Amino acid sequence: LEEAGFSVRVENDGRCFALGEYHFGKGMGMKNILTMTLGTEIGGSFVVNGKNYRGFHNSALEISHISANCTGQWIDWAGLCAGKGIENSYRRETGRKIGAKEIFHLASENDEKAKEVIVKAANILGMGTASLINILDPELIIFGGSLSKQRKFIEQSVKVAKQNIFNKKANYKFVISSLGNKANLLGAASLYR
């Protein structure tokens, strides 16, 4: 490719999302931001002064793989509070295999099992978010991904996170991406700035 005048860069989608938000979205003007993309799994990134924190082995903030023990066994965090986890929890409770979007719809119609599953997932997401904040101390936390459209779910998660943040004097800000899926594309483009 170099002979043809092209250069290629490869980047993780969660990190692209974070760069998009940092340069073009709600993270503009901030020194450091924590982003979490909530979909089937959970993507994460921490941008400090315009650069993604990668860690020594280039595997930092693979937050789907944080282990939690909320069901009596250790499981990946995403398996408890991301889309796949919500679906699995609902299936264990009801025997029905349906998608997360439908579970949120059922909860909005006062289906008790759906509401229980979503509240539990929101609480787990909030606890994990608080742990990340306690470790990283970001200026801003940005939620993206398909589950970020579920406002009550995010609001409950943020409420739990705020209750469990160590530094009670800090004024952490929580927002939902306004760029949506465009954040990933803009972040990828920013790699060539």
Side-chain angles (χ1 to χ4, degrees):
L1 290 175
E2 286 181 19
E3 294 84 23
F6 293 102
S7 66
V8 176
R9 294 183 185 175
V10 177
E11 184 55 277
N12 170 289
D13 61 338
R15 290 185 187 139
C16 284
F17 173 84
L19 288 174
E21 286 294 335
Y22 183 85
H23 291 294
F24 306 103
K26 298 221 173 157
M28 286 177 55
M30 302 288 172
K31 291 191 189 267
N32 65 65
I33 62 171
L34 169 66
T35 64
M36 298 170 55
T37 52
L38 309 166
T40 306
E41 300 274 338
I42 305 173
S45 185
F46 186 56
V47 177
V48 181
N49 294 322
K51 300 206 184 283
N52 270 312
Y53 176 74
R54 299 174 172 285
F56 185 75
H57 297 97
N58 200 32
S59 60
L61 284 120
E62 290 292 342
I63 60 178
S64 268
H65 305 290
I66 294 172
S67 294
N69 186 348
C70 299
T71 61
Q73 63 181 4
W74 288 96
I75 187 168
D76 284 348
W77 186 36
L80 297 168
C81 59
K84 182 171 51 175
I86 290 169
E87 292 167 5
N88 290 338
S89 294
Y90 187 79
R91 185 173 62 245
R92 280 192 300 274
E93 292 290 325
T94 66
R96 293 179 60 204
K97 184 178 180 178
I98 59 175
K101 187 174 182 178
E102 187 174 348
I103 296 166
F104 278 101
H105 176 72
L106 289 172
S108 73
E109 293 186 340
N110 289 319
D111 178 289
E112 287 304 317
K113 287 295 181 190
K115 286 184 353 185
E116 284 175 28
V117 164
I118 288 170
V119 166
K120 183 177 179 181
N123 291 342
I124 293 167
L125 178 61
M127 290 297 294
T129 301
S131 294
L132 290 168
I133 291 167
N134 290 336
I135 293 166
L136 299 171
D137 191 29
E139 187 175 0
L140 176 70
I141 299 91
I142 303 174
F143 294 101
S146 59
L147 293 186
S148 71
K149 296 173 187 164
Q150 304 297 334
R151 298 274 182 193
K152 289 181 182 178
F153 176 70
I154 297 298
E155 287 169 3
Q156 175 65 20
S157 299
V158 168
K159 178 182 173 187
V160 170
K162 286 181 175 180
Q163 292 168 346
N164 290 282
I165 291 169
F166 168 75
N167 186 350
K168 300 298 183 193
K169 293 181 181 178
N171 184 25
Y172 296 107
K173 296 174 186 77
F174 299 82
V175 297
I176 296 172
S177 170
S178 59
L179 298 175
N181 293 338
K182 292 177 189 168
N184 295 51
L185 298 172
L186 291 167
S190 77
L191 293 172
Y192 290 94
R193 284 172 50 145

